Amino acid sequence: PEEALRLVQGVGWQGYDVGPGWYGGNVLGVPRLELPGLHMQDASQGYRTMFDPQVGTVTAWPSLLALASTWDVSLAAAYGRYIGAEFRSKGATVLLGPSLNVHRVPRGGRNAEYLSGEEPGLGAAMASALVGGVQSTGVVAVAKHFALNQQETDRDSTDVYVDERALWEVYYPPFVAAVEAGV
């Protein structure tokens, strides 16, 4: 039972603060079974610094929206490789990204974090390349924030209604591509 708990219970947080030396998300492994722990870190524009000693030791990458604006799939793959290598060098095993939501609200608070822009086909092509680049370094990529995350204000209580066709044609393609790329 204790070993099973290690795989489903996060550690390292004290209230809303992460303790020194921990990552944004931490799951203990099971050494007896040679299952490594997971060290998860946010990545909207690179490795998110959590402690003063980390400041000045990370790369501030262009936003994913800026990357998407290039429409350059090979650049997305290289971006993924480089950001994955930086995460790996800092001991992170999981990159909490890329963010793939398709923009539908121009004033969306997180639009700069999203790789898809307003074009699901662009998001799908770029997501596949970026995920492949990250995961080629041995770091796991996590596709987020799942479809229809359009606003920050009242985000915990907002309900969005979209028909099935629009979901599959507009909102899901970047996530489908990320899954097909190995997420």
Side-chain angles (χ1 to χ4, degrees):
E2 185 176 320
E3 285 182 332
L5 278 177
R6 292 173 68 95
L7 298 175
V8 297
Q9 179 181 8
V11 296
W13 284 87
Q14 302 156 352
Y16 287 102
D17 297 316
V18 67
W22 293 100
Y23 295 84
N26 309 276
V27 176
L28 299 174
V30 179
R32 180 183 68 78
L33 300 175
E34 297 183 21
L35 289 173
L38 298 175
H39 309 295
M40 300 169 266
Q41 197 67 11
D42 265 333
S44 67
Q45 280 186 255
Y47 187 94
R48 180 178 172 190
T49 56
M50 307 281 285
F51 310 104
D52 287 343
Q54 293 176 327
V55 174
T57 69
V58 300
T59 305
W61 296 91
S63 72
L64 291 181
L65 183 57
L67 175 63
S69 73
T70 70
W71 290 69
D72 187 337
V73 173
S74 63
L75 183 60
Y79 184 108
R81 287 191 303 275
Y82 291 126
I83 200 169
E86 182 168 18
F87 270 60
R88 189 171 178 87
S89 75
K90 297 195 173 306
T93 57
V94 179
L95 183 150
L96 298 174
S99 299
L100 302 175
N101 195 42
V102 176
H103 303 185
R104 301 309 295 160
V105 177
R107 296 181 305 174
R110 303 185 94 158
N111 284 354
E113 295 179 29
Y114 295 141
L115 184 61
S116 301
E118 296 181 90
E119 171 52 47
L122 169 66
M126 298 292 271
S128 180
L130 195 145
V131 165
V134 168
Q135 295 194 160
S136 73
T137 68
V139 173
V140 175
V142 175
K144 64 177 195 177
H145 297 264
F146 194 59
L148 310 174
N149 186 26
Q150 300 298 335
Q151 67 182 43
E152 288 299 292
T153 304
D154 299 323
R155 72 179 181 169
D156 295 333
S157 60
T158 300
D159 200 359
V160 178
Y161 297 92
V162 178
D163 70 30
E164 193 78 12
R165 181 176 176 184
L167 286 171
W168 285 103
E169 290 181 2
V170 177
Y171 296 99
Y172 291 167
F175 294 95
V176 170
V179 169
E180 290 172 351
V183 165

